[in-house]
Structures are given as C-alpha cells and as structure tokens.
Amino acid sequence: MDFDKRLERAIVRGHQTKDAKGRKQAELDMSEEDMKTLHSKCRLDLSEHIEKCLRQLCDHFPGFQYHTIVGEGGWGAKVNRDDLLLGKTGQSENQYSRMEMLVRPFGPAHIVELMAKGTIRNKEIFHRTHFQFLNQIDLDSFSELIDLWVLEFAEQFAART
C-alpha cells in the first residue's frame, strides 16, 4: 500500500475519532431537564423491579407484609414481619425482620442511587447503597444488584428461622 492511501486512511480514522468524541461530549452535556426525565424513567423501572422481587419474597415466606414506599426519602418497597418467640421460662420475645429497598430522589449530583436495608430477628444484616451517574447508567446492573440483595436476604432469613 502506498503512502498516499495510508495517509487518507489515517485522516478518515482521525475524523471518526473526532466524531466519536463529539457524540460522547453531547451525551455528557445533557440538560438538567433531560437528567430529571432520565432519572424518573430509571426510578420507575427500578421501583417496578424492586416491587416484583419483594412480592416474590413474601410469597415464599408467609407472614411478611408488603408495603410500597413513596416519599421524600425515595421510591421503592419494604417487607416486614414480627415473630413472637416463647422462651424456656415462658417469657415472650418479639423479633422483627425487614427488608427495604428504595431509589433516592433526583439531586444535584445527577446520580441514580439505590439503598437497601436488611434486618433479621432484630439484627441488621446489611445497609447498602449503590449509585451510578445518569450519563453512564446501566439499569441491567442495578436489576442484577436488586436480585442479588433480595436473594442474600432470603438465604440468610431461611438460615436463621
């Protein structure tokens, strides 16, 4: 291949690189309104997935009650149950189990943040948060994380009851 053809190909590759950088910068320069819209869409998708997973958890462990969460703290759901245990002396003890997951409201950091808390028999087993920037959002990874956290809670609850 002669130098002239190689030069033309190099110039074409340079233009392609410039175009790719321009598209990336346009994605990064989303307007505030676009960010809010994207956050709302993500919040709805993730809230529905949380609801589905926690309702299935209730189906497998009778006694859990499902509640939707909508408020200043975020959107999501929780399941909880109270168990009454009788000790050897006849004393009763109330033991509380709960799992809560929610997506935090839109804020100045332009992130989607997922928060989860798990308590089994009055003992907190986890309190976690995970976030991604809106311009780099991957909802599949959030869905997998929701699944993982609910499965972990279910496994630990089953092991302790």
Side-chain angles (χ1 to χ4, degrees), residues 94-152:
N94 187 24
Q95 297 209 332
Y96 180 75
S97 299
R98 165 185 174 152
M99 177 157 194
E100 176 181 328
M101 298 181 100
L102 51 88
V103 179
R104 301 244 189 219
F106 181 77
H110 300 146
I111 60 172
V112 173
E113 182 180 12
L114 175 67
M115 187 278 302
K117 292 181 195 175
T119 302
I120 298 175
R121 297 193 174 263
N122 298 342
K123 183 181 258 186
E124 186 170 272
I125 58 170
F126 60 78
H127 185 164
R128 301 178 179 147
T129 59
H130 176 75
F131 72 92
Q132 290 180 5
F133 291 100
L134 278 166
N135 58 6
Q136 301 169 353
I137 195 74
D138 176 15
L139 288 180
D140 290 336
S141 68
F142 269 102
S143 295
E144 289 173 15
L145 196 58
I146 291 167
D147 293 348
L148 180 69
W149 289 350
V150 172
L151 293 172
E152 180 183 346

Side-chain angles (χ1 to χ4, degrees), residues 26-157:
E27 290 173 9
L28 294 175
D29 292 341
M30 292 172 59
S31 73
E32 188 77 10
E33 196 58 39
D34 292 339
M35 293 275 196
K36 286 180 183 178
T37 302
L38 180 58
H39 185 275
S40 293
K41 181 194 174 308
C42 294
R43 175 182 48 85
L44 287 171
D45 291 347
L46 294 174
S47 296
E48 287 175 6
H49 191 69
I50 290 168
E51 177 183 343
K52 183 185 93 173
C53 290
L54 291 182
R55 284 193 187 274
Q56 285 181 309
L57 182 72
C58 288
D59 292 343
H60 286 84
F61 293 109
F64 273 101
Q65 296 178 341
Y66 173 86
H67 305 279
T68 301
I69 300 173
V70 177
E72 287 183 18
W75 295 265
K78 71 177 178 179
V79 294
N80 65 308
R81 72 183 263 172
D82 288 317
D83 294 311
L84 187 62
L85 296 179
L86 296 176
K88 293 179 184 177
T89 63
Q91 293 269 3
S92 63
E93 180 184 352
N94 187 24
Q95 297 209 332
Y96 180 75
S97 299
R98 165 185 174 152
M99 177 157 194
E100 176 181 328
M101 298 181 100
L102 51 88
V103 179
R104 301 244 189 219
F106 181 77
H110 300 146
I111 60 172
V112 173
E113 182 180 12
L114 175 67
M115 187 278 302
K117 292 181 195 175
T119 302
I120 298 175
R121 297 193 174 263
N122 298 342
K123 183 181 258 186
E124 186 170 272
I125 58 170
F126 60 78
H127 185 164
R128 301 178 179 147
T129 59
H130 176 75
F131 72 92
Q132 290 180 5
F133 291 100
L134 278 166
N135 58 6
Q136 301 169 353
I137 195 74
D138 176 15
L139 288 180
D140 290 336
S141 68
F142 269 102
S143 295
E144 289 173 15
L145 196 58
I146 291 167
D147 293 348
L148 180 69
W149 289 350
V150 172
L151 293 172
E152 180 183 346
F153 180 86
E155 183 177 339
Q156 289 192 34
F157 184 81

